Amino acid sequence: MMLLGKDLKDIHEEDVYGGPDPLANARKDLDFAAMASAAPSVKSILFKAQTMGPLPRTKPGGKTVGGVVAGVLALALIFLPWLQIHSSVMALQMGFEKELTRRQANELFSAMLRNEPRNTILSAGFTQIGQADAEGGLGHLRIYATGFDLSRQRMEESLRKLVIVHGSGGLEPMFSQSGLLESSSRVSPAGLLLARLRPQPDAYIGLQPQSSPALAATRHSRQLASGLAEALSTPLRSVQVLDSGFVSPVEAQEALESGKANFVLPAWPSDYYVKLQPYADLTAAEQEAMRKEAGGYLDSLGLFRNPDTTNTGLVQAAGVWLPVTVTVRDRSGNPDAYLSSRVQALVQQPSLEKLLAGPIDAESLVGSAVEQLLPRSQHREVAGDEYAWVEGRRVHVYNVQVYLQTGADTGTSSGKAGGMFDEAQKRLDQAAATEW
Amino acid sequence: MIALALTRSDSVAARNEAFVAHYEEVHQQAWRLALYLCGRREDAEDLLAESVARAIKAYDKLKDPTRFHWWFMRLMRNLHIDHCRGRKRQLDVADYGGDGMLWERLERYPMHGNPGRKLESRQVFRALDSLPEQLRLPLALTALEGYSLEEVAQIMGLTAGAVKVRVHRARKKLLEILGPEFEVQQ
């Protein structure tokens, strides 16, 4: 094929003007002399060069400025603190107009503990009416719920659902808010990401268990500290809280020795130290009042752990006699009040007749409860038995120590509808067990 | 002090004279290049004047005065890229190539010779002007101005091979525009 009179292979050779190339012919027709005469003179171009303004820059200028502006905006979005982080600790009390028997109260609260909503700590109290101590005795059940980063509406909704599903019919819960600690701050997205990547507080205070309420409690140390300051200002206005927070038992000892803490409270999920100003100048009675007030404050949030009891929760608090009690211990041998209360709630207590008939296998009873809560956990049960006098008769009672060989995160279900609570709990337990 | 000032003004005057002498040599070719680049006479004048203004400022940086021709042509072409390419609507020749009436009025290619061939050449020039700049410029500089591939490469800041490819493509494109009657059998 020929292009304009040249073969493709030699088309890049020097043009031989005068050949058959139309472009070469056209060049012949071109009047260069006319072009030269039409050109502006050198003088006029030189004059114009000295007098004209610069040509407007059309190519990269606008784009560059736009790019820089976009870049600055993007950086500002990433690094300026504009994201609002809201954090709250809310204490709710739930009561019932209708009176419940102690058995009903136990069953209801045990079921609620098993299906504890996420980021919520539950505790309960039972006020007996009259003198009847038996399980059929009537009384008022009061449930205390502490929620972290949960709205009142959401807490009420999830607790109400639990009552509807697990309570006996006709129970209408009534809620009242007993405390609210709020704080909000602004962080940048980059700061938020960094905070997520940093080790969480539980990593250094050695939390056992690492359940969602435990983690939530440690992450809200700031709110708890402000609430504590408020609580302690009631008996003594001049006292200020300089520092407070969760620490491991070892760190608590060190804090006491170094003077970083004035006193350490047995709290859940870990010990809680408090540093006050002034403290040494206070009288012994005032110091005692401070400790009591601080303990009361933690107790109001369900975070106080009474060192005299190994169990927490309604089952013990309500004064029900339990032939089989449970203490769950972690790998270090430390008792875990939270897991203990949850396992305790799952233990199928033997009837009095069965106890009177002879010794029972308390270890397997507790073992199956642990299996139910932590399906794939490795654990070992050791039962210690003793005697107690019940209705004038001497019967066997058992305290079973559960030694967990692995860590535990029981997980909790949150606000699922109706009969889904138990299934959700099972799934979470299985997931937690798989993580081990 | 006065002597120093006089010496300085003398050296500036000498430098300017040298520049003007160099520029006079390339003025005609520079003007045609400006026309190839811009198309419209007024725009070509602006481009040339701005190029001269820039060249005067940068003249001291020119180490080899014998290369003034290529240095200036290159400067003008770069200036066109920076300042004029974005204003295609006004300044790109290719846009005039498509508008017959406007193209005729520009009288970019004054011609002599017989009327019969003149019509044919006019078609060729119009087709040439309708090519995009990266094809039009190498073809016009080689086929009309008589530059070698290496010289065009210096003006355009390309390699000779790249210029060769562009010339080839430009010729192919030109044929497509002109139609088969311009295809010549050997």
Side-chain angles (χ1 to χ4, degrees):
Chain A
M1 178 183 164
M2 297 299 298
L3 288 179
L4 300 176
K6 283 176 174 274
D7 194 292
L8 269 179
K9 71 180 179 189
D10 60 5
I11 198 158
H12 303 306
E13 299 297 325
E14 295 300 315
D15 287 300
V16 183
Y17 303 114
D21 186 346
L23 201 58
N25 287 336
R27 184 184 185 274
K28 271 186 184 173
D29 293 338
L30 205 55
D31 188 352
F32 282 96
M35 283 177 85
S37 63
S41 67
V42 172
K43 203 179 269 183
S44 69
I45 290 293
L46 287 171
F47 177 75
K48 197 171 182 179
Q50 291 169 32
T51 53
M52 74 180 286
L55 287 176
R57 195 173 180 86
T58 56
K59 194 191 163 196
K63 283 179 187 170
T64 309
V65 172
V68 168
V69 169
V72 168
L73 274 176
L75 284 176
L77 276 175
I78 292 169
F79 291 105
L80 284 183
W82 59 273
L83 281 173
Q84 190 156 22
I85 303 293
H86 185 77
S87 189
S88 69
V89 179
M90 176 174 286
L92 273 188
Q93 287 186 24
M94 182 170 73
F96 305 92
E97 199 173 330
K98 191 178 167 186
E99 292 146 5
L100 298 171
T101 62
R102 191 184 289 277
R103 179 189 293 277
Q104 282 174 330
N106 269 332
E107 284 171 358
L108 172 59
F109 187 66
S110 299
M112 288 180 77
L113 271 184
R114 281 199 299 276
N115 298 287
E116 204 173 52
R118 183 163 283 277
N119 287 356
T120 306
I121 297 172
L122 295 177
S123 58
F126 188 77
T127 314
Q128 188 109 4
I129 302 171
Q131 298 300 316
D133 284 337
E135 290 202 342
L138 285 172
H140 288 287
L141 171 66
R142 184 161 289 271
I143 293 173
Y144 305 92
T146 302
F148 299 96
D149 293 337
L150 296 171
S151 67
R152 177 174 174 170
Q153 189 188 355
R154 189 169 169 192
M155 281 181 73
E156 284 186 8
E157 195 181 327
S158 52
L159 292 172
R160 185 175 276 115
K161 277 180 183 171
L162 282 177
V163 171
I164 290 170
V165 172
H166 299 287
S168 53
L171 282 180
E172 182 56 37
M174 296 175 296
F175 295 94
S176 64
Q177 184 179 312
S178 55
L180 174 63
L181 302 163
E182 281 184 301
S183 71
S184 62
S185 56
R186 290 182 184 276
V187 294
S188 64
L192 193 66
L193 187 68
L194 275 178
R196 291 272 162 90
L197 292 176
R198 266 191 220 123
Q200 297 297 322
D202 58 272
Y204 61 83
I205 66 169
L207 270 188
Q208 294 287 344
Q210 295 188 341
S211 60
S212 78
L215 295 176
T218 52
R219 282 176 191 153
H220 289 73
S221 295
R222 213 172 71 180
Q223 285 76 30
L224 296 178
S226 70
L228 179 69
E230 199 179 320
L232 292 184
S233 68
T234 310
L236 272 178
R237 193 167 289 278
S238 59
V239 170
Q240 286 184 330
V241 178
L242 290 184
D243 200 6
S244 64
F246 291 102
V247 283
S248 66
V250 177
E251 285 171 331
Q253 192 60 35
E254 286 172 0
L256 281 173
E257 286 168 3
S258 65
K260 190 187 168 191
N262 294 130
F263 56 87
V264 174
L265 296 165
W268 183 89
S270 184
D271 288 346
Y272 197 83
Y273 75 94
V274 181
K275 172 77 174 170
L276 299 176
Q277 174 72 30
Y279 185 76
D281 299 339
L282 300 178
T283 63
E286 285 172 332
Q287 289 180 354
E288 178 59 29
M290 287 292 108
R291 286 198 293 270
K292 202 172 172 186
E293 193 67 38
Y297 165 72
L298 290 179
D299 196 27
S300 71
L301 296 173
L303 297 175
F304 190 63
R305 189 180 66 199
N306 190 338
D308 301 328
T309 59
T310 52
N311 297 305
T312 58
L314 172 74
V315 180
Q316 188 76 7
V320 176
W321 177 73
L322 297 171
V324 179
T325 55
V326 180
T327 305
V328 179
R329 295 183 181 275
D330 60 23
R331 274 175 293 179
S332 314
N334 297 321
D336 186 327
Y338 181 77
L339 273 184
S340 299
S341 67
R342 298 196 68 181
V343 174
Q344 181 75 71
L346 290 170
V347 172
Q348 295 291 320
Q349 297 289 345
S351 63
L352 186 60
E353 290 73 27
K354 204 169 180 183
L355 284 169
L356 290 170
I360 61 162
D361 188 0
E363 289 173 4
S364 64
L365 266 181
V366 173
S368 61
V370 176
E371 284 292 326
Q372 194 181 340
L373 187 66
L374 310 166
R376 292 186 197 171
S377 65
Q378 292 176 10
H379 48 90
R380 178 167 62 88
E381 285 79 30
V382 177
D385 63 334
E386 54 191 60
Y387 294 97
W389 287 92
V390 181
E391 296 176 6
R393 285 189 285 185
R394 190 166 174 264
V395 293
H396 265 289
V397 292
Y398 304 85
N399 180 254
V400 182
Q401 307 284 325
V402 179
Y403 295 91
L404 286 179
Q405 309 297 319
T406 55
D409 185 355
T410 57
T412 49
S413 60
S414 61
K416 305 284 191 306
M420 295 298 289
F421 282 118
D422 293 333
E423 288 175 21
Q425 178 69 48
K426 274 181 192 168
R427 280 203 304 275
L428 284 165
D429 289 343
Q430 281 166 4
T434 311
E435 282 171 17
W436 303 341
Chain B
M1 192 72 173
I2 295 168
L4 183 67
L6 283 174
T7 312
R8 189 173 290 168
S9 64
D10 285 350
S11 67
V12 170
R15 174 184 165 280
N16 288 349
E17 272 178 30
F19 176 82
V20 171
H22 272 124
Y23 175 68
E24 278 177 336
E25 284 175 21
V26 301
H27 174 67
Q28 285 298 331
Q29 288 156 302
W31 168 246
R32 287 202 294 276
L33 177 62
L35 273 178
Y36 291 134
L37 288 169
C38 299
R40 205 165 62 169
R41 184 186 169 88
E42 293 79 11
D43 296 331
E45 270 190 41
D46 282 353
L47 178 63
L48 191 57
E50 177 75 12
S51 303
V52 168
R54 298 279 179 100
I56 291 171
K57 279 184 193 168
Y59 186 59
D60 290 335
K61 292 176 189 168
L62 179 65
K63 289 174 184 169
D64 182 5
T66 59
R67 296 187 56 78
F68 180 85
H69 185 108
W70 314 116
W71 175 74
F72 184 78
M73 296 295 212
R74 179 83 178 271
L75 185 147
M76 188 156 68
R77 207 252 170 178
N78 289 343
L79 198 64
H80 177 258
I81 290 172
D82 287 349
H83 293 264
C84 305
R85 197 177 264 177
R87 299 161 68 198
K88 266 193 165 183
R89 197 163 49 82
Q90 291 179 7
L91 299 180
D92 199 324
V93 181
D95 292 336
Y96 302 126
D99 186 342
M101 290 291 285
L102 188 61
W103 189 85
E104 291 291 344
R105 232 179 292 145
L106 288 171
E107 294 183 337
R108 289 177 10 82
Y109 299 96
M111 277 178 275
H112 53 70
N114 67 62
R117 266 211 0 220
K118 211 171 171 179
L119 192 65
E120 188 184 287
S121 299
R122 200 177 290 275
Q123 278 181 281
V124 174
F125 287 133
R126 269 195 64 184
L128 178 68
D129 268 359
S130 65
L131 292 177
E133 189 201 302
Q134 65 267 30
L135 298 181
R136 181 181 69 240
L137 199 60
L139 187 59
L141 292 178
T142 51
L144 300 182
E145 292 294 320
Y147 287 113
S148 68
L149 294 175
E150 286 74 20
E151 289 167 341
V152 177
Q154 285 192 55
I155 294 171
M156 297 188 71
L158 300 168
T159 62
V163 174
K164 201 172 179 180
V165 170
R166 288 193 186 193
V167 169
H168 167 66
R169 285 181 186 162
R171 283 184 181 277
K172 204 173 169 186
K173 186 86 180 165
L174 199 68
L175 178 66
E176 284 172 17
I177 296 167
L178 289 171
E181 64 269 23
F182 279 84
E183 197 172 343
V184 180
Q185 296 297 328
Q186 193 131 32

